[in-house]
Amino acid sequence: MEIFKQISIRGRMAYLIRSFEKMLLHYNFEREGWIMVLEILWAYTSTECLEDWMYEVAEYMPNSILEDTMEDAEYITENDFKHLYELYNKVPQNIHLFLQIIFECGTCEIYSRIRNGSPRTLRKVDEAINVLKMNNIDLIDTTPFKIYKYSECDGWGERFDGKKISEIL
């Protein structure tokens, strides 16, 4: 975990999203079915206004899709809702859990002043790593994520195009 203290929150999110992609590949899920979810997740690394990302992604999360209706949706279309409902019903709970961890990591500091290396996001990274280990999924190498420095932009790190490091998009 020590390595993640030097990696920005955007870099930590990139690590989690790449780990999620590895999980999808581990289970041999059809890549095309996940593109919509991955595109919205990867937007985190390049977006300036993370609050907007948070509200949009909240509508794409498994608990929103499986437990709510489209009634109050602002961002998701009816077709996307139906697609995600079918998709999320076909996958194991650890996929839902991992998506929730990513969402919480990306949002737990949005309205906070980041201090001490952001222990809340570090705990989320640790939770994700534990999910991977419990499911016998090899961890990805942290080396490529070291370029996203915690020392930049008050811990958030510089914005970058995360889609360029995606294994699926």
Side-chain angles (χ1 to χ4, degrees):
M1 280 309 291
E2 204 58 37
I3 184 67
F4 288 103
K5 289 181 180 178
Q6 305 306 314
I7 297 173
S8 69
I9 294 173
R10 279 191 172 88
R12 294 170 193 175
M13 283 290 288
Y15 178 85
L16 293 181
I17 298 165
R18 276 285 286 111
S19 295
F20 181 67
E21 289 180 336
K22 182 155 187 162
M23 182 181 248
L24 295 175
L25 296 171
H26 173 83
Y27 288 114
N28 294 314
F29 291 135
E30 185 181 317
R31 291 174 183 231
E32 290 75 30
W34 290 95
I35 288 176
M36 171 193 342
V37 174
L38 291 170
E39 284 183 347
I40 194 150
L41 291 176
W42 279 115
Y44 188 93
T45 61
S46 60
T47 192
E48 186 173 340
C49 186
L50 294 173
E51 293 90 354
D52 290 345
W53 180 90
M54 176 180 69
Y55 291 119
E56 185 171 358
V57 172
E59 291 186 9
Y60 285 76
M61 289 291 99
N63 60 341
S64 294
I65 298 296
L66 298 174
E67 298 171 12
D68 295 338
T69 64
M70 285 251 345
E71 196 171 294
D72 296 323
E74 291 182 47
Y75 300 97
I76 195 166
T77 67
E78 188 173 342
N79 283 340
D80 290 346
F81 185 90
K82 289 176 183 175
H83 168 77
L84 292 174
Y85 187 84
E86 289 178 23
L87 186 70
Y88 293 154
N89 269 310
K90 293 179 187 176
V91 298
Q93 280 299 118
N94 61 349
I95 297 291
H96 298 188
L97 173 61
F98 209 91
L99 281 170
Q100 188 62 36
I101 292 168
I102 292 171
F103 179 74
E104 289 172 2
C105 183
T107 59
C108 68
E109 296 283 15
I110 284 184
Y111 297 113
S112 305
R113 182 169 172 228
I114 300 175
R115 299 172 192 227
N116 303 323
S118 181
R120 292 191 288 187
T121 61
L122 290 171
R123 278 193 296 278
K124 291 300 168 186
V125 171
D126 193 44
E127 283 180 42
I129 288 171
N130 287 333
V131 170
L132 294 169
K133 287 178 179 178
M134 287 183 350
N135 289 281
N136 298 314
I137 299 170
D138 293 331
L139 302 180
I140 61 173
D141 183 15
T142 57
T143 304
F145 301 92
K146 291 179 183 178
I147 63 170
Y148 309 116
K149 304 217 178 290
Y150 182 81
S151 59
E152 299 173 338
C153 296
D154 298 320
W156 294 101
E158 296 289 342
R159 291 183 290 144
F160 62 94
D161 184 0
K163 291 178 186 179
K164 289 183 178 180
I165 60 172
S166 170
E167 193 170 337
I168 294 180
L169 297 182

